[in-house]
Amino acid sequence: MTTPFPFTAVVGQDDLRLALLLNAVSPAVGGVLVRGEKGTAKSTAVRALSALLPEVSVVAGCRFSCDPAAPDPGCPDGPHEAGTGASRPSRMVELPVGASEDRLVGALDIERALAEGVKAFEPGLLADAHRGILYVDEVNLLHDHLVDLLLDAAAMGASYVEREGVSVRHASKFLLVGTMNPEEGELRPQLLDRFGLTVEVAASREPDQRVEVVRRRLAYDDDPAGFAAGWADEEAAVRQRIVAARELLPSVRLGDGALRQIAATCAAFEVDGMRADIVMARTAVALAAWAGRTDVLAEDVRQAALLALPHRRRRNPFDAPGLDEDKLDETLEEFGGPDDDPDPDPGPDGPGGGGGQPDPDDAPQGDGDTAARPEAGENGQPRPSGAGEQSPVRASEPFRAKVLSVPGIGEGAAGRRSRARTEHGRTTGARRPKGALTKLHLAATVRAAAPHQRARGRSGPGLVVRRDDLRQATREGREGNLVLFVVDASGSMAARQRMSAVKGAVLSLLLDAYQRRDKVGLVTFRGSAAEVALPPTSSVDAAAARLETLPTGGRTPLAAGLLRAHEVLRVERLRDPARRALVVLVTDGRATGGPEPVALAGRAARLFAADGVASVVVDCESGPVRLGLAGQLAGELGGTAVTLDELRADTIAGLVKDVQRRAA
């Protein structure tokens, strides 16, 4: 077994280590979501945590890790008699992003069903993770059907399996830990709320601290066992402190004053529901226990708010996580009570326990919050990059948009936009597998093998099955698409009121793309050329940020914009041939610069029609005299045109029908 990197050897990342330790002390806190850029020790710290957790007692031979002191009466391997059991290390189970539904929840044991003719349940990862850690790396890329199953198990503390004649229920209580890079897309709000705490991590900008990170990593890579042995005493001390904090936890007093502060803080930041209040209370209690105290202080409530509220106060997907700490301090001071400031005995961290912060490392500490910022002009606006450029304008208020779906049935990645043949969804039939079998259709396989049993010499209860009998299940669900926005940022679009409306419309469609689990891309054209402002990505947040800072001005190289978009789609088809595209062209249809710019734009548009790419032209032309150029361009694209006023929820339904009719 590979020796894990020691938890206490992680340099810096105090908030990350504290959040993980609080969940080790009190699993009822509800888990941790770790957000941050790549290479910031997210996975390293999570994997190191499991070595610190105390051993658990389990019923010998139970595949579902029943507690011998209180065995689950409904355990599939039961019934168990209460008594002594065997001890084993706490498990950390990793859920791969591409795992199947059967691997997560378990399924019928196909081998025993076919060979012995009996129905037997084969446990999945939710059973393995019971009373341990369930770790999901890149949790924001997890398929929706797996997210739904995780939500059910996290809410009920049990997993229910009803399929293929098997009906099983087993306990599944686990510490859910997820890591993600926000650049690759955000989490569904329902799953985001299930994480008790969230932590933002970033690489330190302090040279001395970065040197220490590299020094420790190189030493670990050269001799993992020797490096771990050098940190054994520190690891043992933290392990003992976790045990002591768990024993102290039931004695911690959460006074009415602290409860008032918790309720007032959640109300002040307008979080939805009551889960935030409960998580804050549990976190504050765990902080006090970790600090070796039996009273919850105002500083515990403050630290709990910083960990439990940032991901719950987001009002829409494009709001940056975080809290206004001045507002937090004002709220805590206003609602502080007389029982909030007892004079407790000094805990392991000194007087007051230091808010439950972990012990500092020997390495030099930096502030860790210095980040590169775009170059700005004297007025604070982004510095113009070309002549004739106007400063960016804010988007108008976004509106609710109905889905724009790509016609036909695709085979792309699972999502929520267009119909598709997928690995997950409702079963619509069976076929012979093309290549490796990925999803067995059991009934169809049995039907294919049944007529040949006598000829194959079957004599026992098992079914004689050959490879030619195997049948692949065909399923239909929804796919995510690539929504490529091609935005005219030229001088003809630069009227501030019109550009504000255009940005509001694109932002509305970006919100829809976020909800539909699409990839998005952004191509802009202005001046003399077009540029890929954002290559296709799952991070809708990044697209919204680029849209906000989009400058305008100059000529209208419409053909260049279309050709650049066509090239983006060509490259993306090579990378992901199954994902279908929807092009949203935002323009008034005018083209300037070069010889015959309108005719050249028409020829470029016909490339999309020849490739069968679904498209919509958002006509931004305004004024009493309209040339109708956007409508002509839509005809060349083989799509349809819609005005900004028509791009709202009550009118998009007709637009979708036009897109589907033209593509049929």
Side-chain angles (χ1 to χ4, degrees), residues 56-99:
V56 295
S57 295
V58 297
V59 174
C62 178
R63 297 174 297 166
F64 302 89
S65 301
C66 280
D67 185 351
D72 181 5
C75 176
D77 283 356
H80 305 300
E81 294 183 1
T84 59
S87 294
R88 63 162 175 78
S90 184
R91 288 176 181 165
M92 189 189 75
V93 177
E94 292 196 41
L95 172 59
V97 169

Side-chain angles (χ1 to χ4, degrees), residues 399-424:
F399 49 82
R400 181 176 175 272
K402 292 184 179 178
V403 61
L404 288 170
S405 61
V406 177
I409 300 180
E411 295 183 347
R416 294 183 169 187
R417 184 171 295 276
S418 306
R419 294 175 58 198
R421 289 181 288 270
T422 63
E423 290 295 322
H424 311 283

Side-chain angles (χ1 to χ4, degrees), residues 27 56 106 154 180 219 247 280 283 396 413 425 432 487 499 520 522 603 634:
V56 295
M180 60 174 283
E247 294 174 351
M280 270 192 67
T283 304
S396 62
R432 292 181 181 272
V487 180
M499 199 62 201
V520 297
L522 179 62
R603 289 196 293 272

Side-chain angles (χ1 to χ4, degrees), residues 369-621:
D369 57 5
T370 304
R373 292 183 173 86
E375 185 179 3
E378 295 179 356
N379 60 355
Q381 296 288 342
R383 190 178 299 278
S385 58
E389 187 173 288
Q390 300 184 23
S391 61
V393 299
R394 295 181 62 87
S396 62
E397 189 69 21
F399 49 82
R400 181 176 175 272
K402 292 184 179 178
V403 61
L404 288 170
S405 61
V406 177
I409 300 180
E411 295 183 347
R416 294 183 169 187
R417 184 171 295 276
S418 306
R419 294 175 58 198
R421 289 181 288 270
T422 63
E423 290 295 322
H424 311 283
R426 63 185 183 91
T427 300
T428 58
R431 60 173 173 80
R432 292 181 181 272
K434 299 176 181 178
L437 179 71
T438 57
K439 185 64 180 179
L440 179 71
H441 194 298
L442 182 59
T445 299
V446 172
R447 285 197 300 269
H452 309 291
Q453 296 306 295
R454 181 175 297 177
R456 294 174 182 175
R458 173 184 171 183
S459 58
L463 194 66
V464 181
V465 178
R466 295 179 179 173
R467 185 171 183 80
D468 290 343
D469 300 326
L470 299 178
R471 294 294 182 267
Q472 173 83 27
T474 58
R475 299 188 169 193
E476 183 175 308
R478 292 278 171 177
E479 67 176 359
N481 298 116
L482 167 60
V483 182
L484 182 62
F485 293 93
V486 186
V487 180
D488 184 348
S490 65
S492 65
M493 298 281 291
R496 299 185 72 84
Q497 185 175 1
R498 180 154 47 129
M499 199 62 201
S500 177
V502 167
K503 287 188 175 183
V506 177
L507 186 62
S508 302
L509 294 173
L510 281 171
L511 280 165
D512 182 68
Y514 165 78
Q515 295 166 352
R516 307 290 170 184
R517 314 295 287 178
D518 292 317
K519 292 181 70 174
V520 297
L522 179 62
V523 173
T524 64
F525 55 95
R526 52 182 287 274
S528 60
E531 67 171 344
V532 181
L534 182 71
T537 175
S538 296
S539 178
V540 180
D541 282 14
R546 299 293 173 87
L547 180 70
E548 183 179 354
T549 59
L550 178 65
T552 57
R555 293 181 176 272
T556 312
L558 178 56
L562 290 171
L563 291 173
R564 179 59 63 93
H566 187 267
E567 176 65 15
V568 169
L569 294 183
R570 184 190 70 81
V571 173
E572 193 64 18
R573 276 195 295 268
L574 296 176
R575 295 174 177 169
D576 190 357
R579 188 182 291 270
R580 298 184 295 166
L582 173 65
V583 173
V584 179
L585 175 60
V586 185
T587 181
D588 57 9
R590 300 183 184 184
T592 58
E596 300 183 345
V598 176
L600 184 60
R603 289 196 293 272
R606 287 193 287 274
L607 295 174
F608 292 86
D611 291 342
V613 177
S615 60
V616 175
V617 178
V618 180
D619 185 359
C620 302
E621 191 175 28

Side-chain angles (χ1 to χ4, degrees), residues 7-14 17 206 208-213 215-216 227 230-235 358-366:
F7 185 86
T8 51
V10 175
V11 179
Q13 307 296 12
D14 288 349
R17 293 187 294 137
E206 173 60 42
D208 289 342
Q209 193 171 24
R210 297 175 73 97
V211 166
E212 185 63 22
V213 170
R215 181 180 292 117
R216 294 187 187 183
F227 182 82
W231 289 87
D233 292 342
E234 288 82 354
E235 293 281 284
D359 296 331
D361 288 308
D362 294 334
Q365 302 294 313

